[in-house]
Amino acid sequence: MANPINGTIAKPKTFGTADVLITCIAVLTLFVYADVLKFDFVSYDDRLYVTDNKLIKSGLSWDNILWALTTFHDANWFPLTLISHMTDVELYGVKPGLHHVNNVFFHTANSLLLFLFFRRVLLNHWTSAFIAAAFALHPVHVESVAWVSERKDVMSSFFWILAMLSYLRYIRRPGAARYFMLTALFVLGLMTKPMPVTLPFVLLLLDYWPLGRIRGISPELRPDICEQRPLKALIIEKLPLFIISASSAVVTLIAQKSGGSVVSLQNLPFVFRLENSFISYVKYIFNTIFPSKLSILYLLPAQIPPMQAIAAAAIVILITAVVLWKAAQLPYLFTGWFWFIGTLVPVIGLVQVGSQALADRYNYMPSVGLFIIAAVGGAALLKGVRHAEVIAAAVTALLISFYIISTKRQLQHWSNSITLYKHAIEVTHDNKAAYYNLGLVYAELGRYDEAIQYYENAIRISPEYCDAIHNLGIALMNKGKHDEAATLFKRVIVINPLYDKSYVAYGNILLNQNRLDEAMGKYKKALEIKPELPSALNGVGVVMALTGDPDGALGMFDKALSIAPDYTEAANNKKGALALISKRSSK
């Protein structure tokens, strides 16, 4: 084709090394995760985010978007995640396979964007490709990709990596518009999940290496992209980002406290949290190197053996000391290690949310730091070695093959709730939450004998596990064993006098035994604890109807339905109350 400016013949663009690598990474990622098309939703959070969430299931609307922007859903603020689930429903309905596919597309995009980012800063196709391929295919990332509820993880990371690419554009040619783009992408990431809160810190690490922006500290690595500046100037440059990070952290803490998710220091002392943090760091490293026993649930132990905590702390401190000692000679160690350590800080457990000790999903972006060390460090070790390229290719092929096989195997455990919890039981020790959740799944399927078995295992591990005891009682009720169930509900009330659901369940047993006054007492006690509990309101209404007060009963049913419009039992009872009122009026 002739060049219109000078008449020369323009050479056609060839399919270069970078294009081949990008294609391979994309194809392998899609191949590895193709099975998610056949996967179901799982009971753990997918109901909260999609299948039992009326607003999400109603799809996109201005009212729903406003709700997403203003609500603390599940003790968090992540409106873009909620809107993305609404969009899925709008496009596909509640079909699990297609919801899963969107997670895979985000993960694939993240892997390719990581390749583009590191290729620009490292100027090495193969090192960048290893980082991206390890990120794409490592089994530790299966949880983030195969779990519909973790859309927030892959989606927030998408904006995170775009923000890093935007940062490269900004430092190459600083300007208000480019800084605004960086800031906007950062905010979008935080609106999807608070995890990118550490991005300003990561940018400072990148300033040290591989960008070499810090005058007097960094080696001058990339003068073609940027020039060196004092560390103070670089911190001031990121001050707006740090302010946004701090604001996001405050909002997240408020949301989690309002949802009752934050564990108090009285219930979990700081020393215990610190010990668990060191152990978790070591486990994250171990799971990245030897990803053999990955689980959806890693529960906090009742006690931590002192020597285990000391050993873990020694490992983390020793590695940190070596990294600091070698920072000038091996700057990639500094950036990689502190990327890993720093990006895990918000979820390492110093502020404990929930009952998990750690989670694979938390290692989604932090693992990039370890992949940097492996890729750049591996290349450095082979420098000058005979046949280095052949050795590097062989080791890379073996690792990638191992990741593909391991990820394919790990992925199958996510096909449905039963396989997920059974795997958690197999690879963890005395996992009461996995037993309990598996019991819930079997109970919903009407397989009460199996449900009872798993509830009993959960109670064996934790004798005061009120949720398991209560649901064991419900399962026994469904098998007609009312006296045994009543004993369990009374046991729950003794353990936790504020457990409102057991008052209602015990009240229902008393109601079936025609002990109306006692049943009313239990329902009223539940309402003292939770004034707008629909099941308790319904119970009070039934007793009122049976004792000759259909008008009062009607008010209770109406109130229950105003709180839970789909409450079928209350709706049927309301019809009965109206029939009683109509019959009375016709006399």
Side-chain angles (χ1 to χ4, degrees):
M1 180 182 294
N3 187 310
I5 296 176
N6 55 25
T8 60
I9 303 298
K11 293 182 179 180
K13 188 172 183 270
T14 58
F15 200 65
T17 304
D19 301 308
V20 172
L21 292 171
I22 283 176
T23 303
C24 288
I25 293 168
V27 169
L28 284 174
T29 307
L30 295 173
F31 163 74
V32 165
Y33 284 99
D35 287 345
V36 299
L37 262 172
K38 301 176 289 185
F39 287 5
D40 201 352
F41 292 110
V42 296
S43 65
Y44 204 73
D45 281 358
D46 281 354
R47 293 174 182 173
L48 186 65
Y49 287 99
V50 183
T51 59
D52 288 351
N53 190 310
K54 288 177 58 181
L55 291 171
I56 298 294
K57 286 171 68 177
S58 64
L60 279 173
S61 70
W62 289 114
D63 287 342
N64 287 356
I65 291 171
L66 180 63
W67 166 78
L69 290 168
T70 56
T71 189
F72 285 158
H73 183 66
D74 190 29
N76 273 293
W77 185 72
F78 32 57
L80 290 188
T81 298
L82 298 176
I83 292 169
S84 80
H85 288 307
M86 292 175 195
T87 305
D88 280 4
V89 171
E90 191 73 28
L91 294 173
Y92 322 125
V94 190
K95 296 175 182 176
L98 294 173
H99 288 252
H100 283 295
V101 165
N102 273 2
N103 278 25
V104 174
F105 283 153
F106 271 111
H107 178 60
T108 305
N110 293 342
S111 305
L112 301 183
L113 289 171
L114 274 177
F115 172 76
L116 293 175
F117 174 81
F118 283 108
R119 186 173 69 98
R120 290 185 187 180
V121 297
L122 299 179
L123 295 180
N124 186 304
H125 292 319
W126 299 103
T127 303
S128 306
F130 178 85
I131 295 170
F135 179 86
L137 303 170
H138 199 288
V140 81
H141 292 162
V142 166
E143 181 173 299
S144 295
V145 184
W147 189 6
V148 170
S149 294
E150 274 310 300
R151 170 72 54 76
K152 54 185 179 285
D153 208 4
V154 292
M155 195 171 168
S156 65
S157 299
F158 175 74
F159 290 114
W160 181 333
I161 303 167
L162 281 178
M164 292 196 305
L165 284 163
S166 181
Y167 182 64
L168 293 183
R169 294 185 72 246
Y170 166 75
I171 63 175
R172 187 188 293 273
R173 188 150 50 89
R178 295 188 174 203
Y179 196 92
F180 175 79
M181 179 59 70
L182 162 64
T183 306
L185 290 167
F186 179 39
V187 171
L188 289 172
L190 293 172
M191 291 174 70
T192 310
K193 184 180 182 178
M195 196 68 180
V197 73
T198 55
L199 175 64
F201 166 74
V202 169
L203 297 182
L204 280 174
L205 288 176
L206 294 170
D207 283 342
Y208 173 70
W209 181 93
L211 296 173
R213 293 189 74 203
I214 309 176
R215 185 179 299 161
I217 301 176
S218 297
E220 190 172 350
L221 297 172
R222 295 303 310 275
D224 58 315
I225 292 181
C226 55
E227 59 184 33
Q228 292 193 329
R229 299 175 62 189
L231 177 60
K232 182 180 178 181
L234 295 176
I235 294 172
I236 293 172
E237 171 189 73
K238 296 168 185 63
L239 196 56
L241 304 181
F242 279 113
I243 292 171
I244 292 168
S245 285
S247 302
S248 175
V250 170
V251 169
T252 301
L253 194 58
I254 291 170
Q256 291 174 341
K257 281 189 173 181
S258 69
S261 298
V262 179
V263 181
S264 70
L265 285 169
Q266 288 181 325
N267 292 329
L268 203 66
F270 182 76
V271 172
F272 184 96
R273 299 172 189 227
L274 191 61
E275 290 172 341
N276 180 65
S277 296
F278 281 120
I279 291 169
S280 295
Y281 274 123
V282 173
K283 286 183 177 177
Y284 281 123
I285 296 169
F286 185 85
N287 286 347
T288 305
I289 299 172
F290 305 106
S292 60
K293 291 186 177 181
L294 305 178
S295 169
I296 186 177
L297 293 163
Y298 305 97
L299 297 183
L300 283 167
Q303 293 180 332
I304 294 176
M307 289 309 299
Q308 185 182 2
I310 291 168
I315 290 170
V316 174
I317 292 168
L318 180 61
I319 294 174
T320 303
V322 171
V323 166
L324 292 172
W325 175 42
K326 291 289 186 180
Q329 300 165 272
L330 306 171
Y332 65 86
L333 280 180
F334 185 91
T335 294
W337 178 248
F338 284 105
W339 177 313
F340 169 71
I341 290 286
T343 54
L344 276 171
V345 166
V347 290
I348 204 61
L350 295 176
V351 177
Q352 182 65 37
V353 178
S355 60
Q356 73 281 345
L358 66 156
D360 293 341
R361 60 189 176 276
Y362 295 160
N363 200 17
Y364 188 70
M365 282 298 285
S367 64
V368 173
L370 299 180
F371 297 146
I372 290 170
I373 294 172
V376 182
L381 284 173
L382 290 173
K383 193 172 183 180
V385 175
R386 190 178 180 187
H387 305 304
E389 294 85 356
V390 175
I391 296 170
V395 171
T396 299
L398 283 172
L399 274 175
I400 296 302
S401 298
F402 169 70
Y403 292 160
I404 289 172
I405 294 167
S406 300
T407 296
K408 276 284 192 183
R409 185 182 296 120
Q410 179 67 19
L411 193 64
Q412 298 312 308
H413 302 309
W414 283 86
S415 59
N416 59 62
S417 298
I418 292 175
T419 57
L420 182 63
Y421 298 130
K422 281 190 173 181
H423 177 67
I425 289 168
E426 288 171 7
V427 299
T428 59
H429 177 66
D430 280 349
N431 196 323
K432 65 177 186 180
Y435 280 113
Y436 169 68
N437 279 286
L438 191 50
L440 289 177
V441 173
Y442 279 121
E444 289 182 355
L445 294 172
R447 295 162 63 174
Y448 296 114
D449 289 330
E450 289 156 297
I452 288 168
Q453 172 193 338
Y454 287 107
Y455 291 144
E456 287 176 341
N457 272 301
I459 297 164
R460 170 185 57 79
I461 297 163
S462 180
E464 296 191 347
Y465 193 174
C466 287
D467 287 340
I469 299 168
H470 173 83
N471 281 285
L472 175 58
I474 297 295
L476 289 169
M477 276 183 67
N478 284 311
K479 287 181 66 67
K481 299 181 179 182
H482 290 190
D483 291 339
E484 293 178 47
T487 300
L488 290 168
F489 297 138
K490 286 187 279 187
R491 178 178 164 188
V492 172
I493 291 166
V494 170
I495 296 169
N496 181 5
L498 299 179
Y499 201 95
D500 50 84
K501 291 184 289 186
S502 280
Y503 286 104
V504 175
Y506 188 22
N508 290 340
I509 290 175
L510 294 169
L511 180 65
N512 288 333
Q513 294 172 348
N514 207 34
R515 296 158 64 181
L516 301 183
D517 290 341
E518 293 174 82
M520 179 67 88
K522 300 304 176 189
Y523 295 139
K524 286 186 174 179
K525 182 63 180 178
L527 290 172
E528 287 176 18
I529 299 165
K530 190 173 182 179
E532 295 193 343
L533 184 63
S535 57
L537 292 166
N538 177 68
V540 169
V542 171
V543 174
M544 293 176 80
L546 292 173
T547 54
D549 184 8
D551 295 296
L554 183 61
M556 289 295 160
F557 300 139
D558 279 336
K559 187 172 181 181
L561 288 166
S562 69
I563 299 164
D566 295 332
Y567 190 1
T568 305
E569 187 178 345
N572 291 335
N573 289 333
K574 178 180 177 179
K575 292 177 183 176
L578 288 169
L580 287 174
I581 293 169
S582 176
K583 185 177 180 180
R584 183 187 62 191
S585 300
S586 64
K587 288 184 179 179

